[in-house]
Amino acid sequence: MTSTENKYVLNYFNRHGKVELCRLIFHCVDAKYEDNFIENYTDSDTSLGFMPYLQVNEDKIPLISVICRYLAKEFNLAGDNHIHQAKADAIAQTVMLLIDTYYRNVFNIEDIDTKKINLKDYLSNDVESAADTVENLIKLYSNNGDWCVGNKCSYADLFVYEMAKHYFPSDPQFTERFPHVYKIKRSVEEKSKV
């Protein structure tokens, strides 16, 4: 089957989260997919032991980073060659590490005081470090173009967009310090279908 003939079902909880990275890929290429919202994890298919998971026809694929790499390859968003794919993976994995840190250290913490302390640490340390790394990778890989890698949108661009939109502070000084990150964000907003 080709990617246009496959049936894609994205299984996740009914909220914004890591799964948004998969949805961005589907929207970017205008691919049809279904959301299957799981109300209670204990009621869902837990045979994989992970949420979310993507069902492609009868096959089930767990883990956001694996799902996104699969979709990027399936829809030609992984890069034009193996070097571009490795560069896109490096940027996407750096973003994924930041997002994982947010969910592990902030989102999933129930104690309000601990959550506040962790959020402050996340914003001052984790975000700064990830922003520096991604900014440097974009400078190194983009040749000052509109995209992270090569001359077209890749899944790395979608990851940078998601990171800048939902995981970075909206402070104008922060935006000025990371011009390459925000240039990619604007390119995705203006030139892709998301």
Side-chain angles (χ1 to χ4, degrees), residues 93-112:
Q93 188 61 35
T94 302
V95 172
M96 197 71 236
L97 289 171
L98 175 69
I99 293 172
D100 284 342
T101 299
Y102 172 78
Y103 280 92
R104 183 179 55 254
N105 295 345
V106 180
F107 184 83
N108 291 332
I109 302 299
E110 292 183 20
D111 180 72
I112 299 297

Side-chain angles (χ1 to χ4, degrees), residues 48-94:
L48 294 172
F50 293 99
M51 283 295 260
Y53 66 91
L54 176 68
Q55 187 166 342
V56 182
N57 304 317
E58 300 304 315
D59 294 308
K60 295 176 183 176
I61 304 168
L63 299 170
I64 286 293
S65 57
V66 175
I67 295 167
C68 288
R69 274 196 303 276
Y70 164 79
L71 291 173
K73 290 175 184 176
E74 188 79 357
F75 297 121
N76 200 24
L77 293 173
D80 288 334
N81 57 51
H82 293 298
I83 292 295
H84 284 180
Q85 288 175 9
K87 290 176 178 181
D89 287 346
I91 292 170
Q93 188 61 35
T94 302

Side-chain angles (χ1 to χ4, degrees), residues 6-49:
N6 286 329
K7 180 178 179 185
Y8 301 100
V9 180
L10 197 52
N11 298 273
Y12 195 59
F13 305 108
N14 189 9
R15 64 177 178 232
H16 185 94
K18 295 179 191 181
V19 77
E20 204 59 34
L21 297 163
C22 302
R23 290 187 183 117
L24 284 172
I25 292 171
F26 283 122
H27 290 294
C28 184
V29 298
D30 217 12
K32 292 181 182 177
Y33 74 99
E34 290 178 34
D35 275 313
N36 179 35
F37 296 121
I38 306 298
E39 295 300 322
N40 185 340
Y41 186 67
T42 59
D43 295 338
S44 68
D45 177 2
T46 58
S47 63
L48 294 172

